[in-house]
mmCIF file of all heavy atoms in Angstrom:
data_model
loop_
_atom_site.group_PDB
_atom_site.id
_atom_site.type_symbol
_atom_site.label_atom_id
_atom_site.label_comp_id
_atom_site.label_asym_id
_atom_site.label_seq_id
_atom_site.Cartn_x
_atom_site.Cartn_y
_atom_site.Cartn_z
ATOM 1 N N ALA A 119 12.569 3.820 1.871
ATOM 2 C CA ALA A 119 12.559 2.360 1.953
ATOM 3 C C ALA A 119 11.411 1.717 1.175
ATOM 4 O O ALA A 119 11.440 0.514 0.919
ATOM 5 C CB ALA A 119 12.481 1.927 3.418
ATOM 6 N N SER A 120 10.404 2.496 0.796
ATOM 7 C CA SER A 120 9.228 1.918 0.132
ATOM 8 C C SER A 120 9.480 1.700 -1.355
ATOM 9 O O SER A 120 10.356 2.313 -1.957
ATOM 10 C CB SER A 120 8.019 2.838 0.318
ATOM 11 O OG SER A 120 8.179 4.041 -0.401
ATOM 12 N N THR A 121 8.676 0.810 -1.929
ATOM 13 C CA THR A 121 8.671 0.607 -3.370
ATOM 14 C C THR A 121 7.738 1.653 -3.969
ATOM 15 O O THR A 121 6.558 1.692 -3.643
ATOM 16 C CB THR A 121 8.168 -0.811 -3.721
ATOM 17 O OG1 THR A 121 9.023 -1.768 -3.093
ATOM 18 C CG2 THR A 121 8.150 -1.045 -5.216
ATOM 19 N N LYS A 122 8.279 2.522 -4.799
ATOM 20 C CA LYS A 122 7.498 3.649 -5.332
ATOM 21 C C LYS A 122 6.418 3.146 -6.284
ATOM 22 O O LYS A 122 6.650 2.225 -7.063
ATOM 23 C CB LYS A 122 8.387 4.653 -6.063
ATOM 24 C CG LYS A 122 9.599 5.154 -5.276
ATOM 25 C CD LYS A 122 9.276 5.591 -3.856
ATOM 26 C CE LYS A 122 10.504 5.941 -3.063
ATOM 27 N NZ LYS A 122 11.177 4.817 -2.436
ATOM 28 N N VAL A 123 5.236 3.753 -6.179
ATOM 29 C CA VAL A 123 4.135 3.449 -7.082
ATOM 30 C C VAL A 123 3.571 4.767 -7.598
ATOM 31 O O VAL A 123 3.678 5.800 -6.942
ATOM 32 C CB VAL A 123 3.019 2.614 -6.405
ATOM 33 C CG1 VAL A 123 3.512 1.241 -6.032
ATOM 34 C CG2 VAL A 123 2.446 3.321 -5.201
ATOM 35 N N SER A 124 2.966 4.712 -8.763
ATOM 36 C CA SER A 124 2.348 5.910 -9.336
ATOM 37 C C SER A 124 0.953 6.092 -8.744
ATOM 38 O O SER A 124 0.382 5.166 -8.166
ATOM 39 C CB SER A 124 2.242 5.776 -10.859
ATOM 40 O OG SER A 124 1.292 4.769 -11.180
ATOM 41 N N ARG A 125 0.398 7.267 -8.926
ATOM 42 C CA ARG A 125 -0.971 7.536 -8.458
ATOM 43 C C ARG A 125 -1.941 6.554 -9.093
ATOM 44 O O ARG A 125 -2.880 6.089 -8.461
ATOM 45 C CB ARG A 125 -1.346 8.995 -8.792
ATOM 46 C CG ARG A 125 -2.792 9.349 -8.523
ATOM 47 C CD ARG A 125 -3.065 9.429 -7.022
ATOM 48 N NE ARG A 125 -4.415 9.854 -6.755
ATOM 49 C CZ ARG A 125 -5.389 9.058 -6.323
ATOM 50 N NH1 ARG A 125 -5.157 7.781 -6.135
ATOM 51 N NH2 ARG A 125 -6.587 9.519 -6.080
ATOM 52 N N ASN A 126 -1.715 6.212 -10.357
ATOM 53 C CA ASN A 126 -2.602 5.280 -11.058
ATOM 54 C C ASN A 126 -2.520 3.860 -10.512
ATOM 55 O O ASN A 126 -3.451 3.082 -10.687
ATOM 56 C CB ASN A 126 -2.301 5.267 -12.560
ATOM 57 C CG ASN A 126 -2.693 6.565 -13.230
ATOM 58 O OD1 ASN A 126 -3.515 7.313 -12.718
ATOM 59 N ND2 ASN A 126 -2.095 6.848 -14.368
ATOM 60 N N ASN A 127 -1.406 3.507 -9.887
ATOM 61 C CA ASN A 127 -1.224 2.160 -9.342
ATOM 62 C C ASN A 127 -1.350 2.111 -7.831
ATOM 63 O O ASN A 127 -1.018 1.103 -7.214
ATOM 64 C CB ASN A 127 0.132 1.593 -9.777
ATOM 65 C CG ASN A 127 0.169 1.338 -11.263
ATOM 66 O OD1 ASN A 127 -0.795 0.875 -11.843
ATOM 67 N ND2 ASN A 127 1.278 1.671 -11.895
ATOM 68 N N LEU A 128 -1.821 3.186 -7.230
ATOM 69 C CA LEU A 128 -1.984 3.267 -5.782
ATOM 70 C C LEU A 128 -2.995 2.231 -5.308
ATOM 71 O O LEU A 128 -4.075 2.105 -5.874
ATOM 72 C CB LEU A 128 -2.451 4.679 -5.410
ATOM 73 C CG LEU A 128 -2.531 5.045 -3.944
ATOM 74 C CD1 LEU A 128 -1.172 4.925 -3.258
ATOM 75 C CD2 LEU A 128 -3.065 6.473 -3.802
ATOM 76 N N GLN A 129 -2.631 1.464 -4.281
ATOM 77 C CA GLN A 129 -3.491 0.430 -3.715
ATOM 78 C C GLN A 129 -3.789 0.757 -2.262
ATOM 79 O O GLN A 129 -2.988 1.419 -1.591
ATOM 80 C CB GLN A 129 -2.774 -0.930 -3.769
ATOM 81 C CG GLN A 129 -2.335 -1.364 -5.135
ATOM 82 C CD GLN A 129 -3.385 -2.202 -5.822
ATOM 83 O OE1 GLN A 129 -4.113 -2.920 -5.172
ATOM 84 N NE2 GLN A 129 -3.458 -2.086 -7.128
ATOM 85 N N LYS A 130 -4.896 0.266 -1.764
ATOM 86 C CA LYS A 130 -5.211 0.420 -0.352
ATOM 87 C C LYS A 130 -4.061 -0.163 0.470
ATOM 88 O O LYS A 130 -3.571 -1.252 0.169
ATOM 89 C CB LYS A 130 -6.506 -0.298 -0.005
ATOM 90 C CG LYS A 130 -7.727 0.322 -0.622
ATOM 91 C CD LYS A 130 -8.959 -0.498 -0.276
ATOM 92 C CE LYS A 130 -10.193 0.077 -0.909
ATOM 93 N NZ LYS A 130 -11.389 -0.752 -0.611
ATOM 94 N N GLY A 131 -3.642 0.582 1.480
ATOM 95 C CA GLY A 131 -2.532 0.150 2.323
ATOM 96 C C GLY A 131 -1.205 0.779 1.935
ATOM 97 O O GLY A 131 -0.255 0.739 2.721
ATOM 98 N N ASP A 132 -1.118 1.351 0.724
ATOM 99 C CA ASP A 132 0.109 2.037 0.320
ATOM 100 C C ASP A 132 0.260 3.326 1.128
ATOM 101 O O ASP A 132 -0.710 3.852 1.666
ATOM 102 C CB ASP A 132 0.097 2.357 -1.176
ATOM 103 C CG ASP A 132 0.291 1.125 -2.052
ATOM 104 O OD1 ASP A 132 0.726 0.078 -1.533
ATOM 105 O OD2 ASP A 132 -0.014 1.211 -3.258
ATOM 106 N N LEU A 133 1.475 3.816 1.200
ATOM 107 C CA LEU A 133 1.752 5.031 1.949
ATOM 108 C C LEU A 133 1.693 6.246 1.039
ATOM 109 O O LEU A 133 2.091 6.190 -0.126
ATOM 110 C CB LEU A 133 3.118 4.933 2.630
ATOM 111 C CG LEU A 133 3.269 3.775 3.618
ATOM 112 C CD1 LEU A 133 4.676 3.754 4.216
ATOM 113 C CD2 LEU A 133 2.222 3.852 4.723
ATOM 114 N N VAL A 134 1.188 7.339 1.587
ATOM 115 C CA VAL A 134 1.074 8.620 0.879
ATOM 116 C C VAL A 134 2.062 9.568 1.539
ATOM 117 O O VAL A 134 2.015 9.765 2.758
ATOM 118 C CB VAL A 134 -0.357 9.191 1.005
ATOM 119 C CG1 VAL A 134 -0.460 10.539 0.309
ATOM 120 C CG2 VAL A 134 -1.387 8.203 0.470
ATOM 121 N N PHE A 135 2.973 10.145 0.752
ATOM 122 C CA PHE A 135 4.029 10.992 1.301
ATOM 123 C C PHE A 135 3.807 12.449 0.913
ATOM 124 O O PHE A 135 3.544 12.769 -0.243
ATOM 125 C CB PHE A 135 5.391 10.510 0.813
ATOM 126 C CG PHE A 135 5.717 9.133 1.309
ATOM 127 C CD1 PHE A 135 5.535 8.026 0.497
ATOM 128 C CD2 PHE A 135 6.186 8.938 2.603
ATOM 129 C CE1 PHE A 135 5.818 6.742 0.964
ATOM 130 C CE2 PHE A 135 6.462 7.674 3.079
ATOM 131 C CZ PHE A 135 6.279 6.572 2.247
ATOM 132 N N ILE A 136 3.954 13.317 1.891
ATOM 133 C CA ILE A 136 3.703 14.741 1.727
ATOM 134 C C ILE A 136 4.956 15.509 2.111
ATOM 135 O O ILE A 136 5.616 15.178 3.105
ATOM 136 C CB ILE A 136 2.500 15.146 2.597
ATOM 137 C CG1 ILE A 136 1.264 14.436 2.043
ATOM 138 C CG2 ILE A 136 2.327 16.637 2.666
ATOM 139 C CD1 ILE A 136 0.136 14.297 2.995
#
Side-chain angles (χ1 to χ4, degrees):
S120 69
T121 301
K122 308 312 174 276
V123 294
S124 68
R125 173 72 176 106
N126 291 339
N127 292 320
L128 187 60
Q129 303 268 328
K130 292 177 182 178
D132 287 344
L133 300 179
V134 178
F135 296 99
I136 295 159

